[in-house]
Amino acid sequence: MPAYDLIIRGGNIVDGTGEPRFTGDIAIKDGLIAQVGEIDDKGAEEIDARGMTVIPGFVDIHTHYDGQATWDQEMAPSSWHGVTTVVMGNCGVGFAPARSDQHDWLIGLMEGVEDIPGTALAEGITWNWETFPEYLDELEKLSRTVDVGTHVPHGAVRAYVLGEREQPGAVPTDDDIMEMSKIVEEGVRAGALGFSTSRTVLHKDVGGVLVPGTTATAEELVELGRAMGRAGHGVFEMASDLKREWNEFEWMGKLSRETGLPVTFAALQSIAKELPLDEQIATMRAENDNGANIVAQIALRGNGIIMAWQGTVNPFVYRPSWKTISELPWDEKKAKLFDPEFKARLLSEANDYSEAPADILPVVAAVTQGWALMYEMDDDFDYEPEDSATVQARAQNAGIDPQEYAYDMLCRDNGRGFIYFPILNYADKNLDFLHPLQHADDTVNSLSDGGAHCGTICDAASPTFMLQHWVRDRKRGERITLENAIKRQCNDTARLYGLEDRGVIAPGYLADINIIDMDRLKLGKPWLAFDLPAGGKRLLQKADGYVATIKSGVVTFREGKWTGATPGGLIRGPQRAEFAEAAE
């Protein structure tokens, strides 16, 4: 009888600790790594990994699969990119706790903030819960290709307690805050990995109303963080405009020092943030020097919008002629877009901003007129594009107006063309500023938004981009080592959330493993699919080069195709296994 369930033979192992790679075998039994090195025994199944790179499964701590995880076992697109663990419930949005008369409101909140089709959520979610612990119980019923963990979301908690009083600027009473605090503590004790909130004007519900938490006081936020302290674990996660008057880092530092728990925030170059990124990092470090544990979540490429005729956004959404066809079925809309008379009329029009959100007009103007900030997205697109790839530059070379060039770009491939508009993290027209941050102990690779922004981005592919661009192919500046990349996307992300049983290839750890052909690794071209419940749309992106992905010792994907296996489950709280403590 074979000694092991699975043996991976002769791979180039990058173990997640940051130490140099080495060649060896990996033996797996009962879902755990049993032995690493030269293994003479046999496995019930064996995979020849000679010449391949063998790494831990990726741990993605910033996703929004809160609805999808209740019905979908494959958990694409994150699972297509070597991710074996996701943390959701970020940015203060989620679906528990939920009173029966708040379901539509919570769906509208998620649709507005995260661009997940409300019709898909309404059809896909069963709502077999009210409290947050009951939501965890429901998540536990469905097996998946990945493990899922989640935060308690501020928006749902505030709405549950305040009811119809939940409006922008609403000030909870002391009793309200006490009740919210009890709900957070109950959720964390039941297994939530933390608590999340949002404080940015970029996050609004489907009706354009600011999300709960945007105007919350520091006192409210600290009290909700203290609830995690009483439970003994948890990460406080936040997206914020970091307005100077809010002194966010002051209360974040106070909360972290008082509870001993980490606080993490989205650190971006953003026109919505008053503090430049350098100042964000410097202010965070000043608090950390005073005993806090604040961690900056960084993205590894420009964040923003992939524009398409069938997507959520295109540069012409404020043209009167577009509004006349925006709700038409695609075949009818396409016929109009390919009609020369319609094209000429639309291009002759000025933008009508009368219905645009006043507080983000600079963003709206950039989306509709920023031809020097938009890039042509061809088959071999480089996500660190040069100025020569902008719509403006290519239009100038072609001798036509930039708006016409953009229109024609979107009409390519039978109306399935894309324009890349990195509204965040690309102020310098390069990614040099991210290189030092990828070598810092107080930053963590994040912000993929897996499962969200279905009509505008597909950054769930971030782990693949990290390997392809930052490790192997980057041309415009320094690269990072494979060892550092794997440590940051596997071990560091797992440890931030207390998941000490994964992210490393060593005996006793979960057998979450990727086998990758680095020579073949390549992101595919994004495409729009309409495969969510109720025909909801989402941008998807696959990759070549993933030979196999293994979750808890079971092969879930071979050459990018799902095997049908679903060994993943729900994570309840920190996973401080004895072997990890002994290893330290």
PDB file of all heavy atoms in Angstrom, residues 37 71 115 143 157 169 182 186 189 205 211 236 254 267 273 287 367 391 410 436 470 539 551 572:
ATOM      1  N   GLY A  37      11.843  16.762   0.627  1.00  0.00           N
ATOM      2  CA  GLY A  37      13.235  16.372   0.447  1.00  0.00           C
ATOM      3  C   GLY A  37      13.346  15.282  -0.594  1.00  0.00           C
ATOM      4  O   GLY A  37      12.623  15.285  -1.602  1.00  0.00           O
ATOM      5  N   TRP A  71     -23.108  30.082  -3.438  1.00  0.00           N
ATOM      6  CA  TRP A  71     -23.668  29.212  -4.479  1.00  0.00           C
ATOM      7  C   TRP A  71     -22.616  28.575  -5.392  1.00  0.00           C
ATOM      8  O   TRP A  71     -22.906  27.581  -6.058  1.00  0.00           O
ATOM      9  CB  TRP A  71     -24.692  29.969  -5.332  1.00  0.00           C
ATOM     10  CG  TRP A  71     -24.123  30.962  -6.312  1.00  0.00           C
ATOM     11  CD1 TRP A  71     -23.450  30.703  -7.476  1.00  0.00           C
ATOM     12  CD2 TRP A  71     -24.193  32.404  -6.230  1.00  0.00           C
ATOM     13  NE1 TRP A  71     -23.095  31.874  -8.105  1.00  0.00           N
ATOM     14  CE2 TRP A  71     -23.547  32.922  -7.384  1.00  0.00           C
ATOM     15  CE3 TRP A  71     -24.761  33.286  -5.315  1.00  0.00           C
ATOM     16  CZ2 TRP A  71     -23.435  34.296  -7.619  1.00  0.00           C
ATOM     17  CZ3 TRP A  71     -24.658  34.642  -5.560  1.00  0.00           C
ATOM     18  CH2 TRP A  71     -23.998  35.151  -6.698  1.00  0.00           C
ATOM     19  N   ASP A 115     -19.687  46.686  -7.845  1.00  0.00           N
ATOM     20  CA  ASP A 115     -20.042  46.431  -9.242  1.00  0.00           C
ATOM     21  C   ASP A 115     -20.300  44.944  -9.496  1.00  0.00           C
ATOM     22  O   ASP A 115     -19.826  44.373 -10.472  1.00  0.00           O
ATOM     23  CB  ASP A 115     -18.938  46.962 -10.177  1.00  0.00           C
ATOM     24  CG  ASP A 115     -19.342  46.911 -11.650  1.00  0.00           C
ATOM     25  OD1 ASP A 115     -20.544  46.983 -11.934  1.00  0.00           O
ATOM     26  OD2 ASP A 115     -18.436  46.782 -12.500  1.00  0.00           O
ATOM     27  N   SER A 143     -18.935  22.966  -0.039  1.00  0.00           N
ATOM     28  CA  SER A 143     -17.500  22.757  -0.284  1.00  0.00           C
ATOM     29  C   SER A 143     -17.102  23.487  -1.558  1.00  0.00           C
ATOM     30  O   SER A 143     -17.905  23.667  -2.472  1.00  0.00           O
ATOM     31  CB  SER A 143     -17.191  21.263  -0.408  1.00  0.00           C
ATOM     32  OG  SER A 143     -17.927  20.681  -1.474  1.00  0.00           O
ATOM     33  N   VAL A 157     -23.773  45.631   9.695  1.00  0.00           N
ATOM     34  CA  VAL A 157     -23.962  45.779  11.141  1.00  0.00           C
ATOM     35  C   VAL A 157     -24.711  47.075  11.439  1.00  0.00           C
ATOM     36  O   VAL A 157     -25.671  47.098  12.224  1.00  0.00           O
ATOM     37  CB  VAL A 157     -22.611  45.751  11.872  1.00  0.00           C
ATOM     38  CG1 VAL A 157     -22.783  46.100  13.352  1.00  0.00           C
ATOM     39  CG2 VAL A 157     -21.952  44.383  11.722  1.00  0.00           C
ATOM     40  N   GLY A 169     -24.387  60.488   7.449  1.00  0.00           N
ATOM     41  CA  GLY A 169     -24.315  61.444   8.534  1.00  0.00           C
ATOM     42  C   GLY A 169     -25.031  61.026   9.798  1.00  0.00           C
ATOM     43  O   GLY A 169     -24.981  61.747  10.808  1.00  0.00           O
ATOM     44  N   LYS A 182     -21.527  44.371  20.216  1.00  0.00           N
ATOM     45  CA  LYS A 182     -21.877  42.998  20.594  1.00  0.00           C
ATOM     46  C   LYS A 182     -21.981  42.102  19.355  1.00  0.00           C
ATOM     47  O   LYS A 182     -21.566  40.945  19.376  1.00  0.00           O
ATOM     48  CB  LYS A 182     -23.190  42.982  21.371  1.00  0.00           C
ATOM     49  CG  LYS A 182     -23.088  43.555  22.776  1.00  0.00           C
ATOM     50  CD  LYS A 182     -24.455  43.544  23.472  1.00  0.00           C
ATOM     51  CE  LYS A 182     -24.357  44.100  24.884  1.00  0.00           C
ATOM     52  NZ  LYS A 182     -25.697  44.158  25.546  1.00  0.00           N
ATOM     53  N   GLU A 186     -19.697  38.915  18.666  1.00  0.00           N
ATOM     54  CA  GLU A 186     -20.344  37.626  18.414  1.00  0.00           C
ATOM     55  C   GLU A 186     -19.845  37.013  17.105  1.00  0.00           C
ATOM     56  O   GLU A 186     -19.559  35.814  17.022  1.00  0.00           O
ATOM     57  CB  GLU A 186     -21.860  37.828  18.342  1.00  0.00           C
ATOM     58  CG  GLU A 186     -22.650  36.573  18.006  1.00  0.00           C
ATOM     59  CD  GLU A 186     -24.119  36.865  17.786  1.00  0.00           C
ATOM     60  OE1 GLU A 186     -24.441  37.782  16.989  1.00  0.00           O
ATOM     61  OE2 GLU A 186     -24.960  36.185  18.411  1.00  0.00           O
ATOM     62  N   ARG A 189     -16.157  35.858  17.518  1.00  0.00           N
ATOM     63  CA  ARG A 189     -16.100  34.637  18.331  1.00  0.00           C
ATOM     64  C   ARG A 189     -16.613  33.422  17.548  1.00  0.00           C
ATOM     65  O   ARG A 189     -16.161  32.301  17.769  1.00  0.00           O
ATOM     66  CB  ARG A 189     -16.900  34.817  19.619  1.00  0.00           C
ATOM     67  CG  ARG A 189     -16.269  35.767  20.629  1.00  0.00           C
ATOM     68  CD  ARG A 189     -16.970  35.724  21.974  1.00  0.00           C
ATOM     69  NE  ARG A 189     -16.441  36.712  22.903  1.00  0.00           N
ATOM     70  CZ  ARG A 189     -15.330  36.529  23.638  1.00  0.00           C
ATOM     71  NH1 ARG A 189     -14.654  35.386  23.531  1.00  0.00           N
ATOM     72  NH2 ARG A 189     -14.913  37.486  24.456  1.00  0.00           N
ATOM     73  N   ASP A 205     -23.771  53.222  -2.693  1.00  0.00           N
ATOM     74  CA  ASP A 205     -24.699  52.164  -3.070  1.00  0.00           C
ATOM     75  C   ASP A 205     -25.199  52.406  -4.489  1.00  0.00           C
ATOM     76  O   ASP A 205     -24.812  53.379  -5.154  1.00  0.00           O
ATOM     77  CB  ASP A 205     -25.840  52.039  -2.057  1.00  0.00           C
ATOM     78  CG  ASP A 205     -26.821  53.211  -2.081  1.00  0.00           C
ATOM     79  OD1 ASP A 205     -26.786  54.022  -3.025  1.00  0.00           O
ATOM     80  OD2 ASP A 205     -27.624  53.307  -1.135  1.00  0.00           O
ATOM     81  N   VAL A 211     -21.782  54.925   1.568  1.00  0.00           N
ATOM     82  CA  VAL A 211     -21.987  53.708   2.340  1.00  0.00           C
ATOM     83  C   VAL A 211     -21.926  54.003   3.838  1.00  0.00           C
ATOM     84  O   VAL A 211     -21.311  54.986   4.267  1.00  0.00           O
ATOM     85  CB  VAL A 211     -20.923  52.640   1.997  1.00  0.00           C
ATOM     86  CG1 VAL A 211     -20.922  52.335   0.519  1.00  0.00           C
ATOM     87  CG2 VAL A 211     -19.531  53.075   2.446  1.00  0.00           C
ATOM     88  N   PHE A 236      -8.617  44.552  11.698  1.00  0.00           N
ATOM     89  CA  PHE A 236      -9.496  45.674  11.360  1.00  0.00           C
ATOM     90  C   PHE A 236      -9.069  46.168   9.983  1.00  0.00           C
ATOM     91  O   PHE A 236      -7.973  46.684   9.817  1.00  0.00           O
ATOM     92  CB  PHE A 236      -9.349  46.794  12.398  1.00  0.00           C
ATOM     93  CG  PHE A 236     -10.382  47.882  12.296  1.00  0.00           C
ATOM     94  CD1 PHE A 236     -11.334  48.058  13.282  1.00  0.00           C
ATOM     95  CD2 PHE A 236     -10.402  48.739  11.202  1.00  0.00           C
ATOM     96  CE1 PHE A 236     -12.290  49.063  13.203  1.00  0.00           C
ATOM     97  CE2 PHE A 236     -11.349  49.746  11.104  1.00  0.00           C
ATOM     98  CZ  PHE A 236     -12.302  49.909  12.107  1.00  0.00           C
ATOM     99  N   LYS A 254      -4.000  54.036  18.012  1.00  0.00           N
ATOM    100  CA  LYS A 254      -4.558  53.853  19.355  1.00  0.00           C
ATOM    101  C   LYS A 254      -5.245  52.500  19.476  1.00  0.00           C
ATOM    102  O   LYS A 254      -5.031  51.765  20.460  1.00  0.00           O
ATOM    103  CB  LYS A 254      -5.550  54.975  19.651  1.00  0.00           C
ATOM    104  CG  LYS A 254      -6.318  54.807  20.961  1.00  0.00           C
ATOM    105  CD  LYS A 254      -7.364  55.909  21.132  1.00  0.00           C
ATOM    106  CE  LYS A 254      -8.196  55.691  22.389  1.00  0.00           C
ATOM    107  NZ  LYS A 254      -9.228  56.752  22.551  1.00  0.00           N
ATOM    108  N   ALA A 267      -3.610  51.168   0.692  1.00  0.00           N
ATOM    109  CA  ALA A 267      -2.626  52.222   0.423  1.00  0.00           C
ATOM    110  C   ALA A 267      -2.451  52.356  -1.087  1.00  0.00           C
ATOM    111  O   ALA A 267      -1.918  51.459  -1.737  1.00  0.00           O
ATOM    112  CB  ALA A 267      -1.300  51.893   1.096  1.00  0.00           C
ATOM    113  N   LYS A 273      -7.734  60.452  -2.208  1.00  0.00           N
ATOM    114  CA  LYS A 273      -7.038  60.503  -0.920  1.00  0.00           C
ATOM    115  C   LYS A 273      -6.310  61.841  -0.778  1.00  0.00           C
ATOM    116  O   LYS A 273      -5.571  62.251  -1.679  1.00  0.00           O
ATOM    117  CB  LYS A 273      -6.040  59.345  -0.797  1.00  0.00           C
ATOM    118  CG  LYS A 273      -6.690  57.965  -0.779  1.00  0.00           C
ATOM    119  CD  LYS A 273      -5.629  56.894  -0.581  1.00  0.00           C
ATOM    120  CE  LYS A 273      -6.195  55.491  -0.725  1.00  0.00           C
ATOM    121  NZ  LYS A 273      -7.124  55.149   0.343  1.00  0.00           N
ATOM    122  N   GLU A 287       3.333  55.802  13.604  1.00  0.00           N
ATOM    123  CA  GLU A 287       2.497  55.120  14.602  1.00  0.00           C
ATOM    124  C   GLU A 287       3.098  53.775  14.987  1.00  0.00           C
ATOM    125  O   GLU A 287       3.102  53.396  16.169  1.00  0.00           O
ATOM    126  CB  GLU A 287       1.077  54.923  14.050  1.00  0.00           C
ATOM    127  CG  GLU A 287       0.271  56.201  13.927  1.00  0.00           C
ATOM    128  CD  GLU A 287      -0.080  56.817  15.282  1.00  0.00           C
ATOM    129  OE1 GLU A 287      -0.128  56.070  16.290  1.00  0.00           O
ATOM    130  OE2 GLU A 287      -0.301  58.039  15.335  1.00  0.00           O
ATOM    131  N   VAL A 367     -12.473  59.937 -16.811  1.00  0.00           N
ATOM    132  CA  VAL A 367     -13.029  58.762 -17.487  1.00  0.00           C
ATOM    133  C   VAL A 367     -13.524  59.123 -18.888  1.00  0.00           C
ATOM    134  O   VAL A 367     -13.418  58.325 -19.819  1.00  0.00           O
ATOM    135  CB  VAL A 367     -14.181  58.163 -16.651  1.00  0.00           C
ATOM    136  CG1 VAL A 367     -14.984  57.150 -17.457  1.00  0.00           C
ATOM    137  CG2 VAL A 367     -13.632  57.512 -15.390  1.00  0.00           C
ATOM    138  N   VAL A 391      -4.160  56.281 -25.811  1.00  0.00           N
ATOM    139  CA  VAL A 391      -5.103  56.587 -26.888  1.00  0.00           C
ATOM    140  C   VAL A 391      -4.669  57.858 -27.613  1.00  0.00           C
ATOM    141  O   VAL A 391      -4.691  57.939 -28.844  1.00  0.00           O
ATOM    142  CB  VAL A 391      -6.530  56.743 -26.319  1.00  0.00           C
ATOM    143  CG1 VAL A 391      -7.476  57.301 -27.370  1.00  0.00           C
ATOM    144  CG2 VAL A 391      -7.041  55.408 -25.789  1.00  0.00           C
ATOM    145  N   LEU A 410     -12.915  50.310 -29.211  1.00  0.00           N
ATOM    146  CA  LEU A 410     -13.964  49.547 -28.552  1.00  0.00           C
ATOM    147  C   LEU A 410     -14.763  48.712 -29.548  1.00  0.00           C
ATOM    148  O   LEU A 410     -15.356  47.689 -29.171  1.00  0.00           O
ATOM    149  CB  LEU A 410     -14.896  50.492 -27.791  1.00  0.00           C
ATOM    150  CG  LEU A 410     -14.269  51.245 -26.612  1.00  0.00           C
ATOM    151  CD1 LEU A 410     -15.252  52.251 -26.038  1.00  0.00           C
ATOM    152  CD2 LEU A 410     -13.806  50.279 -25.527  1.00  0.00           C
ATOM    153  N   PRO A 436      10.112  49.319  -3.773  1.00  0.00           N
ATOM    154  CA  PRO A 436      10.554  49.255  -2.371  1.00  0.00           C
ATOM    155  C   PRO A 436       9.463  48.754  -1.432  1.00  0.00           C
ATOM    156  O   PRO A 436       9.766  48.116  -0.416  1.00  0.00           O
ATOM    157  CB  PRO A 436      10.957  50.691  -2.050  1.00  0.00           C
ATOM    158  CG  PRO A 436      10.287  51.541  -3.068  1.00  0.00           C
ATOM    159  CD  PRO A 436      10.200  50.705  -4.291  1.00  0.00           C
ATOM    160  N   TRP A 470       6.366  41.148 -12.381  1.00  0.00           N
ATOM    161  CA  TRP A 470       7.359  41.597 -11.405  1.00  0.00           C
ATOM    162  C   TRP A 470       8.543  40.638 -11.273  1.00  0.00           C
ATOM    163  O   TRP A 470       9.668  41.079 -11.028  1.00  0.00           O
ATOM    164  CB  TRP A 470       6.701  41.789 -10.041  1.00  0.00           C
ATOM    165  CG  TRP A 470       5.995  43.098  -9.929  1.00  0.00           C
ATOM    166  CD1 TRP A 470       4.649  43.324  -9.991  1.00  0.00           C
ATOM    167  CD2 TRP A 470       6.591  44.391  -9.756  1.00  0.00           C
ATOM    168  NE1 TRP A 470       4.375  44.665  -9.866  1.00  0.00           N
ATOM    169  CE2 TRP A 470       5.543  45.339  -9.710  1.00  0.00           C
ATOM    170  CE3 TRP A 470       7.910  44.829  -9.620  1.00  0.00           C
ATOM    171  CZ2 TRP A 470       5.781  46.713  -9.544  1.00  0.00           C
ATOM    172  CZ3 TRP A 470       8.136  46.190  -9.450  1.00  0.00           C
ATOM    173  CH2 TRP A 470       7.091  47.107  -9.415  1.00  0.00           C
ATOM    174  N   LEU A 539     -16.107  40.328 -15.946  1.00  0.00           N
ATOM    175  CA  LEU A 539     -14.843  40.248 -16.670  1.00  0.00           C
ATOM    176  C   LEU A 539     -14.032  39.085 -16.112  1.00  0.00           C
ATOM    177  O   LEU A 539     -13.866  38.962 -14.895  1.00  0.00           O
ATOM    178  CB  LEU A 539     -14.049  41.539 -16.512  1.00  0.00           C
ATOM    179  CG  LEU A 539     -14.254  42.615 -17.564  1.00  0.00           C
ATOM    180  CD1 LEU A 539     -13.646  43.922 -17.085  1.00  0.00           C
ATOM    181  CD2 LEU A 539     -13.619  42.207 -18.889  1.00  0.00           C
ATOM    182  N   LYS A 551      -5.300  21.673  -3.404  1.00  0.00           N
ATOM    183  CA  LYS A 551      -5.868  22.222  -2.176  1.00  0.00           C
ATOM    184  C   LYS A 551      -6.064  21.091  -1.176  1.00  0.00           C
ATOM    185  O   LYS A 551      -6.755  20.118  -1.455  1.00  0.00           O
ATOM    186  CB  LYS A 551      -7.223  22.897  -2.480  1.00  0.00           C
ATOM    187  CG  LYS A 551      -8.005  23.284  -1.228  1.00  0.00           C
ATOM    188  CD  LYS A 551      -7.379  24.455  -0.513  1.00  0.00           C
ATOM    189  CE  LYS A 551      -7.963  24.583   0.893  1.00  0.00           C
ATOM    190  NZ  LYS A 551      -6.935  24.468   1.929  1.00  0.00           N
ATOM    191  N   ARG A 572     -12.672  29.210  10.302  1.00  0.00           N
ATOM    192  CA  ARG A 572     -13.228  29.877  11.483  1.00  0.00           C
ATOM    193  C   ARG A 572     -12.078  30.303  12.394  1.00  0.00           C
ATOM    194  O   ARG A 572     -11.476  29.484  13.077  1.00  0.00           O
ATOM    195  CB  ARG A 572     -14.164  28.933  12.241  1.00  0.00           C
ATOM    196  CG  ARG A 572     -15.511  28.688  11.564  1.00  0.00           C
ATOM    197  CD  ARG A 572     -16.426  27.872  12.469  1.00  0.00           C
ATOM    198  NE  ARG A 572     -17.686  27.508  11.850  1.00  0.00           N
ATOM    199  CZ  ARG A 572     -18.832  28.204  11.976  1.00  0.00           C
ATOM    200  NH1 ARG A 572     -18.842  29.313  12.692  1.00  0.00           N
ATOM    201  NH2 ARG A 572     -19.935  27.780  11.393  1.00  0.00           N
TER     202      ARG A 572
END
